[in-house]
Amino acid sequence: MAPPDRLYERAPPAPARLAAGPLWHLDATRTCFIGPLTYNAPHQHGAPVFLAGIYGDFRLRLAGGDWRRARTAMIPAGIEHELDVGGQPIGVLYIEPSLGGPACLAALTSDAEESGGALLGAAGEFAPLRALWEDAGSADWAGEALDDFLGFGARRARRPLDPRIARIIASLDEADDWPGVADACARVGLSAHHFQHLFTREVGVPYRRYRAWRRLRLAIGAVASGSHLTAAAHEAGFCDQAHFTRTFRRTFGAPPSWSLSGVRMSGDPARQRTAAPMSEPPAR
């Protein structure tokens, strides 16, 4: 556990040649954060994530197990984990279910070993993320780079979503008032039990948790468009800023006030559904 008096700690500043700052790319189906991190407390994402050390390995612990080293990793939605990156830059890429799920990201790892449902790779695809980190102008071409990057994985492992679940997920893109569980069940003709089981099987987390993930992405998109945290929280449907902050920390292992400041932004903020982590001190 991190010492109580050092619960959170920013990563050290990047070298002068990389002074452009961390990069986020935000769009309707992808979230990409590239930047230095120190430690992320135990947390669970609402979407699968691919991790890649930009210049070397990072440490990863799954569900309170042993610390492991990896150069790349794929962690499905809903798996608790914590990171120790030691202040080095790391690429963090989340995708929505419509892009193919964990199998798409798994193809970006290599020399990988399964551990607790995740894949830990000794090697993998990190060069495109390194190029995005090192180029101060990469916010202008990040979307195209991620198209190519994810295309590599998607060609190897694409499994279509169950059409009933795909329909509910699509409804979250179209409506301001997102359906609750009862409404979602009625739309696809399933009992609550069968809907929840099918949704978790297809997406990796229960419907309510996935819906909270989408609200987080809306809030971060609002911040990227210029809103302060309180306004962004209300805009995304959170009760207040405190509710947003609690959900953010539970999902990413660090507070949003650090994660959303001093970054380069890429993508279309008006259409964002995204998020990224921030840092705490290493746990030893």
Side-chain angles (χ1 to χ4, degrees):
M1 295 292 293
D5 60 340
R6 298 178 65 237
L7 183 59
Y8 293 104
E9 179 181 297
R10 290 181 182 274
R17 69 185 182 90
L18 303 176
L23 171 72
W24 287 32
H25 177 84
L26 313 173
D27 62 32
T29 57
R30 304 173 301 196
T31 302
C32 184
F33 170 87
I34 308 173
L37 298 179
T38 301
Y39 171 73
N40 284 71
H43 58 285
Q44 297 172 300
H45 298 306
V49 63
F50 172 73
L51 305 168
I54 299 301
Y55 298 118
D57 292 350
F58 54 90
R59 296 203 312 154
L60 175 69
R61 180 157 70 174
L62 300 164
D66 294 334
W67 284 99
R68 304 281 299 277
R69 300 197 73 88
R71 184 63 187 270
T72 63
M74 185 285 296
I75 305 174
I79 293 182
E80 183 182 84
H81 60 286
E82 54 191 305
L83 293 172
D84 178 1
V85 190
Q88 296 300 309
I90 188 171
V92 183
L93 175 61
Y94 311 88
I95 62 172
E96 294 305 302
S98 60
L99 291 188
C104 175
L105 298 179
L108 301 173
T109 68
S110 62
D111 296 333
E113 177 184 350
E114 193 276 338
S115 178
L119 286 178
L120 308 184
E125 301 298 315
F126 55 82
L129 300 181
R130 177 189 287 182
L132 286 169
W133 165 243
E134 293 184 345
D135 186 346
S138 61
D140 295 332
W141 53 273
E144 294 179 7
L146 292 178
D147 287 343
D148 293 339
F149 189 56
L150 284 171
F152 176 87
R155 287 191 295 272
R156 285 157 177 76
R158 189 176 184 97
R159 181 180 69 84
L161 282 173
D162 182 286
R164 293 165 293 186
I165 300 306
R167 179 181 173 190
I168 294 302
I169 289 175
S171 72
L172 302 182
D173 292 326
E174 299 165 358
D176 294 328
D177 186 16
W178 292 345
V181 172
D183 190 8
C185 292
R187 294 186 188 193
V188 296
L190 292 173
S191 68
H193 171 76
H194 284 96
F195 172 75
Q196 295 282 31
H197 176 78
L198 181 61
F199 194 96
T200 301
R201 188 191 75 188
E202 292 292 295
V203 178
V205 292
Y207 177 64
R208 287 188 178 90
R209 181 174 293 175
Y210 179 73
R211 194 172 59 170
W213 164 259
R214 296 291 294 262
R215 291 196 189 283
L216 280 174
R217 299 191 344 159
L218 279 178
I220 294 172
V223 172
S225 298
S227 297
H228 56 73
L229 291 180
T230 299
H234 285 297
E235 196 173 324
F238 291 100
C239 298
D240 50 32
Q241 182 179 335
H243 182 204
F244 167 52
T245 297
R246 288 194 303 272
T247 304
F248 195 101
R249 288 174 61 170
R250 185 169 60 247
T251 304
F252 302 112
S257 55
W258 290 2
S259 303
L260 305 179
S261 63
V263 299
R264 294 176 287 155
M265 195 66 64
S266 171
D268 180 2
R271 301 181 65 243
Q272 289 164 12
R273 302 282 195 276
T274 193
M278 203 52 205
S279 289
E280 298 179 348
R284 302 298 180 189

